[in-house]
Amino acid sequence: MAIGGKAAPLSFVAHALAVAGAVMVLVWCIYFLGGLAWEATNKALIFNLHPVLMLIGFVIIGGQAIMSYKSLPLRKEVKKVIHLVLHAIALILGIIGIYAAFKYHNESSIVNLYSLHSWLGIVLIALYGIQWIYGFLVFFFPGGTLGLRSASLPWHVLFGLLVYVLVVGNAVLGYLEKLTFLENSGLAKYGAEALLVNFTAIVTILYGVFVVMTALSPPPVEDDDGYSAI
């Protein structure tokens, strides 16, 4: 299934939303929440790494990896490497981001994996990793047979988009969870920080929408080098 409109203009909107989202989450975590740290007596600074790495790494860079096949007017092999490397970076930063949440919990004597957000996070990072490994083995090295690649490609695209949509949804769930904790601790419900978090969630959703729309749009040049739209 393909949608109307070319991929490149849609990806430009996604890039703008990515910049906006990255700036907003950094302003939230550095200005409002006090900064970022891997080691600190104020353990909340360790947790602040989690939303930054999950949004910029897992959601934004992961989205760029998805769009690369449709928005870049490059040769097949170049796009394949960009797609693979960006997904690897997103996966690594996502793993570090999840570890930062565990580190914060462990050093603050807080139990782990007690919320739906955390359950989904573990499942999605695992599915993302499985998707990357399968893609590497079948489409990159050592590479599957032509029949296997042809049969796998539509499912690889579909499963990747499904996982990504769930990743975006779980990120929004994370914003809601953290904001609820902050408001229960006295944060003004209509204050600047609360509004910033809510608008960051909206930008995240819009970014995910434009990533998916780009992935379902025709590539810059119709040839056999890109994957076919679902």
Side-chain angles (χ1 to χ4, degrees):
M1 178 183 67
I3 64 173
K6 295 182 178 180
L10 292 170
S11 70
F12 294 154
V13 178
H15 298 329
L17 289 167
V19 172
V23 170
M24 292 168 80
V25 76
L26 287 170
V27 169
W28 178 37
C29 291
I30 295 175
Y31 179 77
F32 285 100
L33 297 181
L36 309 169
W38 190 253
E39 298 289 346
T41 53
N42 180 4
K43 302 304 179 183
L45 301 184
I46 298 174
F47 177 83
N48 293 348
L49 289 167
H50 177 70
V52 170
L53 290 173
M54 299 314 290
L55 179 60
I56 295 178
F58 209 36
V59 174
I60 292 178
I61 296 180
Q64 296 296 317
I66 291 172
M67 292 188 295
S68 65
Y69 254 120
K70 289 298 186 70
S71 62
L72 300 177
L74 302 173
R75 293 184 299 108
K76 172 186 176 181
E77 295 306 319
V78 176
K79 291 191 289 186
K80 183 184 294 186
V81 171
I82 293 172
H83 181 75
L84 184 74
V85 170
L86 287 178
H87 271 312
I89 294 171
L91 179 60
I92 291 169
L93 293 179
I95 291 171
I96 297 173
I98 290 177
Y99 179 78
F102 275 88
K103 179 178 171 66
Y104 162 70
H105 282 188
N106 293 337
E107 295 185 10
S108 304
S109 300
I110 300 173
V111 296
N112 292 303
L113 300 175
Y114 60 84
S115 67
L116 177 62
H117 172 68
S118 61
W119 295 354
L120 289 175
I122 295 299
V123 171
L124 291 173
I125 199 76
L127 292 176
Y128 202 102
I130 292 170
Q131 170 84 341
W132 188 89
I133 292 171
Y134 184 82
F136 181 89
L137 294 176
V138 173
F139 300 106
F140 191 75
F141 182 83
T145 64
L146 179 60
L148 177 61
R149 294 199 306 270
S150 298
S152 298
L153 186 55
W155 295 105
H156 179 70
V157 175
L158 179 61
F159 184 74
L161 288 177
L162 175 61
V163 170
Y164 185 74
V165 168
L166 292 174
V167 165
V168 171
N170 199 42
V172 173
L173 190 61
Y175 294 130
L176 174 62
E177 182 179 302
K178 181 63 176 178
L179 184 57
T180 300
F181 289 154
L182 292 172
E183 290 177 345
N184 288 340
S185 299
L187 182 72
K189 290 181 171 57
Y190 294 99
E193 183 176 354
L195 292 174
L196 175 63
V197 176
N198 282 329
F199 277 111
T200 304
I202 292 172
V203 168
T204 301
I205 294 171
L206 291 175
Y207 176 72
V209 168
F210 276 91
V211 167
V212 173
M213 289 175 65
T214 302
L216 297 179
S217 299
V221 178
E222 290 288 356
D223 53 30
D224 294 331
D225 288 344
Y227 62 74
S228 300
I230 301 172

